[in-house]
Amino acid sequence: MRVVIVGGGQAGASVVSKLRQLGFDGELLMISQETVPPYERPPLSKKHLQNHTAGKLVAILPEEFWTECRVELRLNTRVDAIDPEARFLQAGKERIDFDHLVLATGSSARRLPEAITNGLEQIFHLRDVEDANALHAHLQPGTSLVIVGGGYIGMELAATARVKGLEVTVIERDDRILKRVASMPLSNEIGRWHRDNGVRIIECAGVAKLSGRKAVQNVTLQDGTKIRADIVVVGVGVSPRTGLAEAAGLELHNGISVNALGLTSRPGIWAAGDCASFEFEGRVLRLENVQNAIEQAETVAENILGANKNYRPLPTFWSEQFDHLVQIAGLFHPSMTTVNRQTPSGTSFWHYHDDNLKAVEVLNDPKAFSIARRMLADGRSPAADEVASPDLNLKTLLKTSKKTEPV
Amino acid sequence: MATWIEACAAEDVENEDLIRFDHNEQTFAIYRSPDDEYYCTAGLCTHEEVHLSDGLVMGHIIECPMHNGQFDYRTGAPRRSPACIKLKIYPVKVENGTVFIDIGEPS
Ligand SMILES: Cc1cc2nc3c(=O)[nH]c(=O)nc-3n(C[C@H](O)[C@H](O)[C@H](O)COP(=O)(O)OP(=O)(O)OC[C@H]3O[C@@H](n4cnc5c(N)ncnc54)[C@H](O)[C@@H]3O)c2cc1C
Ligand code: FES
């Protein structure tokens, strides 16, 4: 049996390592258009950019994995088409047959329309090592950096650049940064760290146009405000890479549609990670985080071998900004009620739907996060007044709190 | 060569829990399993040097507080991604209610 993986990111790496760990003995081939074996992307906006030691990426799998585990890794290779009937891929002139195919094509950074960017230079994105290297060269003290988009990548980059001495402005279209991915109290707290460190945040502001001679010099907002910029980074979210799947006639729904097993609308063709969307608790989700890339991909590996296992995500995310650590588990929704927990070791926000704990956001308190995440995984809902009490040892609630449906 | 040092009192570690123990620039994690056995591993996760003492012990597994990688603390073997490199482990003995670890020959 031959399993082929398209994409050399976290999801692809997790599929191949899990297959071998489960004793799969057939042929394994991974095809990636990148120049290096799978590496961790999160450090690209954090440590990697801060103390840039060129080429020192964090590899997801140890160097010897590929030979020891007999996985053929083909880098610098783009898959151009899939034939789901005849079961082969086209990569340039080459035809590659498969028994099972895993699409782990990830996502790409969204761009601003050409009508806004005007083909100017010094406009960057941050998705892969090439982007990070290009951007790094410009992170010099005194440089004016304008970041379009106050999502996690934008805010992490803002912190990294500010520490490096740049003048940083973040432009956010919504009425608060991180609106799509954080509760209001968390957005406020993160915004405060940035303002305290001298980052300028402009909310409710759309970008009208970028201007300059050859390189960008100014960013003009819709209300006419003009901001000087030596470089601009666009952090307005990502789009799933669905082109291959679409051309092959697979079902899409804001991503490549998969069922709970990770199977697409075609037998033997699977998808996992940033590119895949699935129904969960009545919502169609497409998660963009490492935990999902790992666990969905591992479930796919098990199911290729016939486990018939449903994927139940517990979305988990972390972010590092200045000296702060943010950790999030579960899926927050603005309709939830929030309980604050404030202890000497850190702050956390516990979000409930009725009496059921659904999501927790933790600042600088990894121990509380470990416990909160476990509660969500076990479907435990501690009483709100207990959570709010700073004297209570959270760990005791792990065994005693009410058990509902796991998140 | 064996180098036994005193780490903590046995009762300092709760059942199914761990504590951090620092000694000469080195940091360790001391575990007490659900069946009241004691174990010791290096104190930092092999993924990104985070203190495991903030993590959660479940049975014989320690879950890292940062990205939820898991290890079997009896053997140091990684049990869940992103943890993929083994943790160092150290011999442990308990004498008269005191936990000693041998930092001479980790494995
Ligand atoms: C700067 C940054 C910071 C982040 N920080 C965090 C964080 O703190 N925490 C967190 O949980 N997540 C974070 N993320 C998100 C996380 O990195 C992604 O969710 C994860 O990488 C998804 O893995 P994936 O394998 O699905 O996709 P990707 O990592 O995008 O990998 C897809 C791979 O497929 C290749 N590919 C696509 N199409 C083809 C083709 N046709 N032929 C060949 N190869 C192809 C791509 O080049 C790429 O190598 C961050 C992402 C970025 C960019
Ligand atoms: S630091 Fe432990 S899993 Fe990442």
Side-chain angles (χ1 to χ4, degrees):
Chain A
M1 182 158 97
R2 180 186 224 197
V3 181
V4 177
I5 288 95
V6 185
Q10 178 70 61
S14 296
V15 172
V16 292
S17 65
K18 189 72 181 182
L19 277 170
R20 283 298 188 236
Q21 194 191 322
L22 293 170
F24 172 67
D25 201 32
E27 252 183 280
L28 267 177
L29 168 64
M30 173 186 278
I31 305 172
S32 171
Q33 65 194 10
E34 290 198 70
T35 54
V36 284
Y39 55 90
E40 296 188 354
R41 286 183 211 286
L44 296 182
S45 49
K46 312 178 181 81
K47 291 184 192 106
H48 182 81
L49 212 51
Q50 188 125 23
N51 7 344
H52 190 75
T53 28
K56 262 203 93 197
L57 292 169
V58 185
I60 293 174
L61 295 165
E63 220 179 301
E64 59 281 5
F65 171 84
W66 305 95
T67 42
E68 268 178 18
C69 292
R70 295 173 295 110
V71 179
E72 188 187 340
L73 173 61
R74 220 171 290 173
L75 297 173
N76 296 305
T77 309
R78 214 189 118 78
V79 173
D80 300 310
I82 308 168
D83 186 329
E85 297 297 333
R87 310 186 85 65
F88 70 86
L89 300 175
Q90 200 68 44
K93 292 213 172 72
E94 200 182 351
R95 170 186 162 136
I96 299 164
D97 295 310
F98 62 80
D99 296 302
H100 286 272
L101 176 68
V102 183
L103 297 173
T105 49
S107 53
S108 52
R110 237 181 253 149
R111 293 172 186 254
L112 291 176
E114 184 69 28
I116 290 183
T117 58
N118 291 310
L120 292 166
E121 289 173 9
Q122 314 287 46
I123 301 172
F124 300 90
H125 299 83
L126 188 49
R127 181 69 202 173
D128 59 26
V129 57
E130 256 114 65
D131 295 338
N133 288 348
L135 180 58
H136 180 261
H138 296 280
L139 297 186
Q140 303 301 334
T143 299
S144 299
L145 163 66
V146 173
I147 298 171
V148 182
Y152 277 111
I153 291 178
M155 297 319 290
E156 288 180 354
L157 174 65
T160 302
R162 187 70 196 129
V163 170
K164 281 178 157 294
L166 283 81
E167 297 300 325
V168 183
T169 307
V170 176
I171 298 168
E172 169 55 53
R173 194 179 45 183
D174 278 322
D175 57 358
R176 61 175 167 97
I177 55 165
L178 301 165
K179 185 160 185 174
R180 201 174 58 88
V181 284
S183 69
M184 177 105 87
L186 179 59
S187 285
N188 290 345
E189 190 70 7
I190 293 177
R192 199 173 55 76
W193 302 337
H194 281 267
R195 291 184 172 106
D196 286 352
N197 280 284
V199 172
R200 181 172 165 211
I201 300 176
I202 308 177
E203 284 151 339
C204 302
V207 172
K209 69 167 196 229
L210 309 187
S211 54
R213 280 164 189 258
K214 198 156 163 254
V216 64
Q217 283 173 326
N218 288 297
V219 176
T220 309
L221 303 184
Q222 270 155 6
D223 69 358
T225 312
K226 224 169 174 182
I227 305 160
R228 205 177 73 72
D230 299 316
I231 53 175
V232 169
V233 176
V234 179
V236 294
V238 298
S239 319
R241 284 202 193 88
T242 54
L244 268 182
E246 187 171 8
L250 304 191
E251 255 170 51
L252 307 182
H253 192 305
N254 176 34
I256 306 172
S257 287
V258 296
N259 64 13
L261 302 175
L263 196 58
T264 67
S265 55
R266 287 305 193 107
I269 303 185
W270 311 77
D274 276 21
C275 68
S277 69
F278 53 98
E279 224 181 286
F280 184 67
E281 295 186 340
R283 290 207 249 172
V284 176
L285 298 180
R286 195 175 58 74
L287 300 172
E288 299 160 359
N289 63 57
V290 168
Q291 168 275 330
N292 175 66
I294 293 175
E295 288 177 17
Q296 193 174 29
E298 292 189 345
T299 309
V300 163
E302 291 181 58
N303 290 334
I304 288 175
L305 301 181
N308 212 19
K309 184 174 155 183
N310 285 345
Y311 175 51
R312 292 189 63 85
L314 172 53
T316 306
F317 192 80
W318 79 96
S319 180
E320 291 155 70
Q321 296 171 40
F322 301 105
D323 288 329
H324 300 284
L325 172 65
V326 179
Q327 292 175 288
I328 303 172
L331 275 183
F332 167 74
H333 191 271
S335 65
M336 294 174 184
T337 30
T338 300
V339 175
N340 279 14
R341 179 176 167 85
Q342 191 90 45
T343 71
S345 52
T347 300
S348 45
F349 306 117
W350 300 63
H351 306 291
Y352 290 78
H353 180 79
D354 297 332
D355 289 340
N356 299 333
L357 183 65
K358 288 289 181 187
V360 182
E361 298 168 318
V362 181
L363 310 178
N364 303 315
D365 193 351
K367 184 119 217 169
F369 179 72
S370 298
I371 297 169
R373 186 179 175 282
R374 177 56 36 203
M375 287 182 184
L376 288 166
D378 291 350
R380 287 192 182 276
S381 292
D385 57 333
E386 291 187 305
V387 164
S389 149
D391 301 327
L392 182 105
N393 178 355
L394 276 183
K395 217 182 157 205
T396 59
L397 297 180
L398 255 185
K399 298 240 156 83
T400 60
S401 55
K402 171 177 84 98
K403 210 158 172 158
T404 49
E405 275 294 289
V407 171
Chain B
M1 203 187 69
T3 314
W4 289 99
I5 57 170
E6 187 179 325
C8 59
E11 61 180 28
D12 290 347
V13 197
E14 283 174 35
N15 180 275
E16 204 171 9
D17 205 352
L18 83 166
I19 62 162
R20 169 176 165 181
F21 167 63
D22 293 340
H23 177 76
N24 292 347
E25 319 264 296
Q26 267 184 296
T27 181
F28 303 90
I30 316 267
Y31 306 80
R32 179 167 162 190
S33 68
D35 46 359
D36 284 326
E37 297 290 335
Y38 288 77
Y39 298 89
C40 176
T41 72
L44 300 178
C45 181
T46 56
H47 179 233
E48 273 190 19
E49 314 223 313
V50 162
H51 282 283
L52 289 170
S53 53
D54 286 330
L56 211 56
V57 173
M58 293 168 293
H60 293 114
I61 295 291
I62 169 70
E63 182 175 86
C64 173
M66 190 68 174
H67 313 120
N68 322 107
Q70 295 183 343
F71 303 89
D72 185 327
Y73 57 78
R74 297 169 300 179
T75 60
R79 282 285 178 261
R80 188 165 82 195
S81 300
C84 63
I85 302 167
K86 186 186 164 299
L87 267 181
K88 278 204 180 90
I89 54 170
Y90 300 84
V92 176
K93 65 183 178 189
V94 182
E95 280 173 6
N96 301 324
T98 302
V99 179
F100 296 86
I101 60 175
D102 173 8
I103 59 171
E105 307 163 47
S107 58

